[in-house]
Amino acid sequence: MGIQEKQNDVGNKSAAVGAKSQTTSSLFPTYARYPISLVKGEGSWLWDDQGNKYLDFMSGLAVTNLGHAPKKVKEKLKQQLDELWHVSNLFQIPNQEKAASLLTSISCGDAVFFCNSGAEANEAAIKLARRYHQKTKGTGRYEVITFNQSFHGRTLATLTATGQDKVKEGYLPLPLGFKTVPLHDLEALQAAISDQTAAVMIEMVLAEGGVHTVEPEFLKAVSELCKQEGILLIFDEVQTGMGRTGKWFAHEHYGVEPDIFTVAKGLASGFPAGAMLGKEYLRDTFTAGSHATTFGGTPLATAAIIATIETMIEDRIPERAAKMSEYLFEQLNEKLAGISFVKGIRGLGLLVGIECEDSVANIVLEGQKRGLLFVNAGPNVIRLLPNLYVTEQEIDQAVAIVAGLIQDHISVKNV
Ligand SMILES: *Cc1c(COP(=O)(O)O)cnc(C)c1O
């Protein structure tokens, strides 16, 4: 191709880019986005660029647990912005030490690895489990067993761990070393365990999978089985952690402790951050250079984590979430009583699912028009995730809107 032609090509391309930018986005279309641009948030409320106000019962998918722009976190972040944003993990980072000691003081974990997301925290957990068996125990164990309908993230390893086929489409070949069994089927789990099993990974509430709460007897049995077989137990608390269920971590409801657990969504009030916590006997499994991430636990990220945890301690947030959860369930049970379209109301704390007879997609969209933001969990389940400072009055408002939406949905269906 001559120079002349090449120049023409470039000319054509820039003309095409110019034309395209008026009609389409420059982003990969990985999300089915709602036609709303949110521009401001405060507490339980959000505003769009048209000036419409919304009551937020999704909290960025269990991320903004302290509401939007919580004052103490904002102040701490502003202060840190003036001091230092980022240094390499090759240096001492006092904020990171403090965030880790706060996290271990509120949980059963003894050692922390900071990262940036839930998937990355789960990757760290899978790596720690494999390395524990292979380096510390000297065995060849590598396999991780997870459950149908689970969700553990979108990296190649964590989507393989995820018990939902839709996240795996088009990504073959998947990494080796993962098996999935039905939830609440102890025999299937027993059958899946072999001398290659390194860990079992489970959520206390399968949130993305439809808000299915794990039965206490099952979790106890899984824990005993793991102990008996020398298998590590990993709890994925990415969505259920940080007070969301009315305890700091959902596993406290069960009286069962994991060897490893992960957090992310509510960890830093919306600043991207994740963490993997392990018991003392796992600390020396990781050595210098065995795992790392550039942005994990920066001064800025850990300032947000510190402020989030300190605020939660000060304001007794887990307790508050438990109280508000009682009220929310009471109101939902009362206002949705006798509606046959509603098949069940379930969940833990302020992670609540309303199972319906068929698709709730239109109910979610109609909710936005009436000023209430919430999401589905699977096709038929309405998922409510208010922030943990939510008031009774806000719950009343949200429940009234949800009840109205369901009533209207039924009457439209019956026409
Ligand atoms: C959201 C979520 C993840 C993935 O977290 P990302 O930050 O999106 O990578 C993993 N596990 C559970 C239970 C989640 O809810």
Side-chain angles (χ1 to χ4, degrees), residues 61 116-122 151-155 158 203 205 207-208 236-240 262 264-265 273 383:
L61 288 169
N116 312 289
S117 69
E120 214 191 336
N122 287 337
F151 183 81
H152 298 297
R154 300 288 195 147
T155 62
T158 58
E203 299 157 84
V205 182
E208 298 301 313
D236 179 344
E237 293 253 18
V238 169
Q239 188 153 163
T240 52
T262 55
K265 288 192 165 98
R383 180 168 32 156

mmCIF file of all heavy atoms in Angstrom, residues 61 116-122 151-155 158 203 205 207-208 236-240 262 264-265 273 383, ligand 1:
data_model
loop_
_atom_site.group_PDB
_atom_site.id
_atom_site.type_symbol
_atom_site.label_atom_id
_atom_site.label_comp_id
_atom_site.label_asym_id
_atom_site.label_seq_id
_atom_site.Cartn_x
_atom_site.Cartn_y
_atom_site.Cartn_z
ATOM 1 N N LEU A 61 -24.606 -1.858 44.776
ATOM 2 C CA LEU A 61 -24.464 -3.306 45.010
ATOM 3 C C LEU A 61 -23.676 -3.606 46.286
ATOM 4 O O LEU A 61 -22.622 -4.243 46.254
ATOM 5 C CB LEU A 61 -23.858 -4.007 43.795
ATOM 6 C CG LEU A 61 -24.833 -4.106 42.614
ATOM 7 C CD1 LEU A 61 -24.138 -4.558 41.349
ATOM 8 C CD2 LEU A 61 -25.983 -5.054 42.942
ATOM 9 N N ASN A 116 -7.679 -4.856 45.482
ATOM 10 C CA ASN A 116 -8.542 -3.781 44.981
ATOM 11 C C ASN A 116 -9.973 -4.177 44.680
ATOM 12 O O ASN A 116 -10.780 -3.336 44.315
ATOM 13 C CB ASN A 116 -7.930 -3.209 43.696
ATOM 14 C CG ASN A 116 -6.470 -2.921 43.884
ATOM 15 O OD1 ASN A 116 -6.114 -1.997 44.591
ATOM 16 N ND2 ASN A 116 -5.633 -3.746 43.310
ATOM 17 N N SER A 117 -10.291 -5.461 44.759
ATOM 18 C CA SER A 117 -11.635 -5.887 44.372
ATOM 19 C C SER A 117 -11.954 -7.230 45.011
ATOM 20 O O SER A 117 -11.072 -7.892 45.581
ATOM 21 C CB SER A 117 -11.732 -6.016 42.851
ATOM 22 O OG SER A 117 -10.943 -7.108 42.432
ATOM 23 N N GLY A 118 -13.201 -7.638 44.856
ATOM 24 C CA GLY A 118 -13.629 -8.924 45.390
ATOM 25 C C GLY A 118 -12.985 -10.080 44.655
ATOM 26 O O GLY A 118 -12.527 -11.053 45.275
ATOM 27 N N ALA A 119 -12.945 -9.981 43.327
ATOM 28 C CA ALA A 119 -12.346 -11.070 42.541
ATOM 29 C C ALA A 119 -10.885 -11.243 42.930
ATOM 30 O O ALA A 119 -10.392 -12.365 43.082
ATOM 31 C CB ALA A 119 -12.458 -10.753 41.057
ATOM 32 N N GLU A 120 -10.213 -10.118 43.115
ATOM 33 C CA GLU A 120 -8.792 -10.185 43.447
ATOM 34 C C GLU A 120 -8.575 -10.758 44.859
ATOM 35 O O GLU A 120 -7.591 -11.463 45.103
ATOM 36 C CB GLU A 120 -8.200 -8.778 43.350
ATOM 37 C CG GLU A 120 -6.786 -8.766 42.869
ATOM 38 C CD GLU A 120 -6.146 -7.397 43.027
ATOM 39 O OE1 GLU A 120 -6.869 -6.381 43.079
ATOM 40 O OE2 GLU A 120 -4.918 -7.348 43.123
ATOM 41 N N ALA A 121 -9.495 -10.456 45.758
ATOM 42 C CA ALA A 121 -9.407 -11.030 47.107
ATOM 43 C C ALA A 121 -9.608 -12.548 47.035
ATOM 44 O O ALA A 121 -8.899 -13.314 47.697
ATOM 45 C CB ALA A 121 -10.452 -10.393 48.021
ATOM 46 N N ASN A 122 -10.571 -12.983 46.211
ATOM 47 C CA ASN A 122 -10.797 -14.426 46.061
ATOM 48 C C ASN A 122 -9.627 -15.120 45.370
ATOM 49 O O ASN A 122 -9.280 -16.252 45.711
ATOM 50 C CB ASN A 122 -12.109 -14.686 45.319
ATOM 51 C CG ASN A 122 -13.320 -14.391 46.188
ATOM 52 O OD1 ASN A 122 -13.225 -14.417 47.419
ATOM 53 N ND2 ASN A 122 -14.452 -14.101 45.572
ATOM 54 N N PHE A 151 -21.332 -16.976 43.334
ATOM 55 C CA PHE A 151 -20.650 -15.962 42.521
ATOM 56 C C PHE A 151 -19.366 -15.562 43.231
ATOM 57 O O PHE A 151 -19.389 -15.165 44.399
ATOM 58 C CB PHE A 151 -21.527 -14.722 42.295
ATOM 59 C CG PHE A 151 -20.848 -13.718 41.412
ATOM 60 C CD1 PHE A 151 -20.870 -13.872 40.032
ATOM 61 C CD2 PHE A 151 -20.148 -12.642 41.945
ATOM 62 C CE1 PHE A 151 -20.198 -12.968 39.198
ATOM 63 C CE2 PHE A 151 -19.480 -11.733 41.116
ATOM 64 C CZ PHE A 151 -19.512 -11.908 39.742
ATOM 65 N N HIS A 152 -18.245 -15.679 42.512
ATOM 66 C CA HIS A 152 -16.962 -15.359 43.144
ATOM 67 C C HIS A 152 -16.109 -14.369 42.367
ATOM 68 O O HIS A 152 -14.996 -14.054 42.791
ATOM 69 C CB HIS A 152 -16.185 -16.646 43.401
ATOM 70 C CG HIS A 152 -16.893 -17.585 44.335
ATOM 71 N ND1 HIS A 152 -17.170 -17.269 45.654
ATOM 72 C CD2 HIS A 152 -17.437 -18.816 44.136
ATOM 73 C CE1 HIS A 152 -17.829 -18.266 46.227
ATOM 74 N NE2 HIS A 152 -18.008 -19.218 45.331
ATOM 75 N N GLY A 153 -16.619 -13.857 41.223
ATOM 76 C CA GLY A 153 -15.853 -12.841 40.513
ATOM 77 C C GLY A 153 -15.694 -13.166 39.044
ATOM 78 O O GLY A 153 -16.226 -14.146 38.544
ATOM 79 N N ARG A 154 -14.937 -12.314 38.335
ATOM 80 C CA ARG A 154 -14.875 -12.369 36.869
ATOM 81 C C ARG A 154 -13.473 -12.601 36.315
ATOM 82 O O ARG A 154 -13.287 -12.514 35.102
ATOM 83 C CB ARG A 154 -15.416 -11.054 36.302
ATOM 84 C CG ARG A 154 -16.849 -10.760 36.683
ATOM 85 C CD ARG A 154 -17.815 -11.658 35.961
ATOM 86 N NE ARG A 154 -19.172 -11.135 36.072
ATOM 87 C CZ ARG A 154 -20.087 -11.280 35.120
ATOM 88 N NH1 ARG A 154 -19.819 -11.934 34.021
ATOM 89 N NH2 ARG A 154 -21.305 -10.788 35.293
ATOM 90 N N THR A 155 -12.479 -12.797 37.163
ATOM 91 C CA THR A 155 -11.183 -13.202 36.617
ATOM 92 C C THR A 155 -11.316 -14.642 36.157
ATOM 93 O O THR A 155 -12.287 -15.331 36.506
ATOM 94 C CB THR A 155 -10.083 -13.117 37.689
ATOM 95 O OG1 THR A 155 -10.418 -14.023 38.744
ATOM 96 C CG2 THR A 155 -9.961 -11.701 38.243
ATOM 97 N N THR A 158 -11.722 -16.960 39.201
ATOM 98 C CA THR A 158 -12.924 -16.769 40.014
ATOM 99 C C THR A 158 -14.207 -17.005 39.218
ATOM 100 O O THR A 158 -15.214 -17.420 39.783
ATOM 101 C CB THR A 158 -12.946 -15.381 40.691
ATOM 102 O OG1 THR A 158 -12.877 -14.364 39.694
ATOM 103 C CG2 THR A 158 -11.803 -15.221 41.674
ATOM 104 N N GLU A 203 -20.232 -18.768 49.989
ATOM 105 C CA GLU A 203 -20.825 -17.525 50.497
ATOM 106 C C GLU A 203 -21.864 -17.907 51.561
ATOM 107 O O GLU A 203 -22.526 -18.929 51.419
ATOM 108 C CB GLU A 203 -21.587 -16.798 49.384
ATOM 109 C CG GLU A 203 -20.773 -16.375 48.187
ATOM 110 C CD GLU A 203 -21.673 -16.209 46.959
ATOM 111 O OE1 GLU A 203 -22.268 -15.143 46.791
ATOM 112 O OE2 GLU A 203 -21.789 -17.165 46.166
ATOM 113 N N VAL A 205 -24.528 -16.040 52.147
ATOM 114 C CA VAL A 205 -25.751 -15.774 51.386
ATOM 115 C C VAL A 205 -25.340 -15.714 49.922
ATOM 116 O O VAL A 205 -24.492 -14.886 49.558
ATOM 117 C CB VAL A 205 -26.416 -14.439 51.777
ATOM 118 C CG1 VAL A 205 -27.707 -14.239 50.994
ATOM 119 C CG2 VAL A 205 -26.670 -14.363 53.279
ATOM 120 N N ALA A 207 -25.753 -14.244 47.067
ATOM 121 C CA ALA A 207 -26.485 -13.008 46.800
ATOM 122 C C ALA A 207 -26.782 -12.854 45.315
ATOM 123 O O ALA A 207 -27.944 -12.710 44.923
ATOM 124 C CB ALA A 207 -25.673 -11.826 47.324
ATOM 125 N N GLU A 208 -25.733 -12.905 44.482
ATOM 126 C CA GLU A 208 -25.942 -12.777 43.040
ATOM 127 C C GLU A 208 -26.789 -13.945 42.538
ATOM 128 O O GLU A 208 -27.542 -13.805 41.578
ATOM 129 C CB GLU A 208 -24.599 -12.770 42.295
ATOM 130 C CG GLU A 208 -23.677 -11.615 42.663
ATOM 131 C CD GLU A 208 -24.288 -10.257 42.398
ATOM 132 O OE1 GLU A 208 -24.838 -10.060 41.300
ATOM 133 O OE2 GLU A 208 -24.243 -9.412 43.304
ATOM 134 N N ASP A 236 -16.467 -16.489 51.222
ATOM 135 C CA ASP A 236 -16.506 -15.298 50.382
ATOM 136 C C ASP A 236 -17.513 -14.328 51.001
ATOM 137 O O ASP A 236 -18.717 -14.490 50.865
ATOM 138 C CB ASP A 236 -16.915 -15.689 48.952
ATOM 139 C CG ASP A 236 -17.012 -14.489 48.017
ATOM 140 O OD1 ASP A 236 -17.058 -13.342 48.507
ATOM 141 O OD2 ASP A 236 -17.062 -14.706 46.787
ATOM 142 N N GLU A 237 -16.988 -13.339 51.721
ATOM 143 C CA GLU A 237 -17.829 -12.341 52.403
ATOM 144 C C GLU A 237 -17.773 -11.008 51.653
ATOM 145 O O GLU A 237 -17.960 -9.940 52.247
ATOM 146 C CB GLU A 237 -17.360 -12.164 53.850
ATOM 147 C CG GLU A 237 -17.592 -13.394 54.731
ATOM 148 C CD GLU A 237 -18.729 -13.185 55.730
ATOM 149 O OE1 GLU A 237 -19.560 -12.263 55.539
ATOM 150 O OE2 GLU A 237 -18.766 -13.957 56.710
ATOM 151 N N VAL A 238 -17.502 -11.075 50.352
ATOM 152 C CA VAL A 238 -17.365 -9.854 49.559
ATOM 153 C C VAL A 238 -18.645 -9.013 49.614
ATOM 154 O O VAL A 238 -18.594 -7.791 49.743
ATOM 155 C CB VAL A 238 -16.968 -10.197 48.103
ATOM 156 C CG1 VAL A 238 -17.087 -8.974 47.195
ATOM 157 C CG2 VAL A 238 -15.549 -10.745 48.053
ATOM 158 N N GLN A 239 -19.799 -9.682 49.540
ATOM 159 C CA GLN A 239 -21.070 -8.932 49.596
ATOM 160 C C GLN A 239 -21.674 -8.920 51.005
ATOM 161 O O GLN A 239 -22.348 -7.971 51.390
ATOM 162 C CB GLN A 239 -22.074 -9.529 48.605
ATOM 163 C CG GLN A 239 -23.330 -8.703 48.450
ATOM 164 C CD GLN A 239 -24.020 -8.847 47.096
ATOM 165 O OE1 GLN A 239 -25.162 -8.491 46.951
ATOM 166 N NE2 GLN A 239 -23.344 -9.349 46.105
ATOM 167 N N THR A 240 -21.426 -9.980 51.772
ATOM 168 C CA THR A 240 -22.086 -10.129 53.072
ATOM 169 C C THR A 240 -21.306 -9.488 54.224
ATOM 170 O O THR A 240 -21.848 -9.337 55.317
ATOM 171 C CB THR A 240 -22.271 -11.621 53.411
ATOM 172 O OG1 THR A 240 -21.006 -12.281 53.259
ATOM 173 C CG2 THR A 240 -23.292 -12.275 52.499
ATOM 174 N N THR A 262 -12.796 -13.423 52.604
ATOM 175 C CA THR A 262 -12.529 -12.274 51.741
ATOM 176 C C THR A 262 -13.600 -11.204 51.921
ATOM 177 O O THR A 262 -14.762 -11.510 52.185
ATOM 178 C CB THR A 262 -12.500 -12.706 50.265
ATOM 179 O OG1 THR A 262 -13.728 -13.385 49.948
ATOM 180 C CG2 THR A 262 -11.338 -13.630 49.980
ATOM 181 N N ALA A 264 -14.681 -7.022 50.337
ATOM 182 C CA ALA A 264 -14.380 -5.979 49.352
ATOM 183 C C ALA A 264 -15.488 -4.924 49.336
ATOM 184 O O ALA A 264 -15.274 -3.795 49.774
ATOM 185 C CB ALA A 264 -14.172 -6.551 47.957
ATOM 186 N N LYS A 265 -16.663 -5.301 48.874
ATOM 187 C CA LYS A 265 -17.675 -4.294 48.523
ATOM 188 C C LYS A 265 -17.832 -3.180 49.559
ATOM 189 O O LYS A 265 -17.680 -2.018 49.240
ATOM 190 C CB LYS A 265 -18.998 -4.988 48.242
ATOM 191 C CG LYS A 265 -18.943 -5.748 46.914
ATOM 192 C CD LYS A 265 -20.292 -6.206 46.444
ATOM 193 C CE LYS A 265 -20.272 -6.615 44.986
ATOM 194 N NZ LYS A 265 -20.149 -8.065 44.752
ATOM 195 N N ALA A 273 -11.410 -1.250 47.042
ATOM 196 C CA ALA A 273 -10.510 -1.943 47.961
ATOM 197 C C ALA A 273 -11.042 -3.334 48.254
ATOM 198 O O ALA A 273 -12.251 -3.548 48.331
ATOM 199 C CB ALA A 273 -10.382 -1.165 49.269
ATOM 200 N N ARG A 383 -33.975 -7.580 44.774
ATOM 201 C CA ARG A 383 -32.973 -7.520 45.850
ATOM 202 C C ARG A 383 -32.925 -6.114 46.429
ATOM 203 O O ARG A 383 -32.792 -5.142 45.702
ATOM 204 C CB ARG A 383 -31.601 -7.918 45.304
ATOM 205 C CG ARG A 383 -30.504 -7.877 46.343
ATOM 206 C CD ARG A 383 -29.217 -8.546 45.882
ATOM 207 N NE ARG A 383 -28.969 -8.451 44.449
ATOM 208 C CZ ARG A 383 -27.755 -8.542 43.891
ATOM 209 N NH1 ARG A 383 -26.691 -8.738 44.646
ATOM 210 N NH2 ARG A 383 -27.606 -8.458 42.584
HETATM 211 C C1 LIG B 1 -19.299 -8.795 43.917
HETATM 212 C C2 LIG B 1 -18.809 -10.100 44.385
HETATM 213 C C3 LIG B 1 -17.550 -10.607 43.990
HETATM 214 C C4 LIG B 1 -16.682 -9.895 42.991
HETATM 215 O O1 LIG B 1 -16.245 -8.656 43.435
HETATM 216 P P1 LIG B 1 -15.604 -7.618 42.398
HETATM 217 O O2 LIG B 1 -15.169 -6.474 43.271
HETATM 218 O O3 LIG B 1 -16.667 -7.252 41.417
HETATM 219 O O4 LIG B 1 -14.467 -8.311 41.741
HETATM 220 C C5 LIG B 1 -17.133 -11.805 44.529
HETATM 221 N N1 LIG B 1 -17.903 -12.484 45.392
HETATM 222 C C6 LIG B 1 -19.101 -12.031 45.790
HETATM 223 C C7 LIG B 1 -19.887 -12.822 46.775
HETATM 224 C C8 LIG B 1 -19.610 -10.835 45.287
HETATM 225 O O5 LIG B 1 -20.823 -10.410 45.654
#
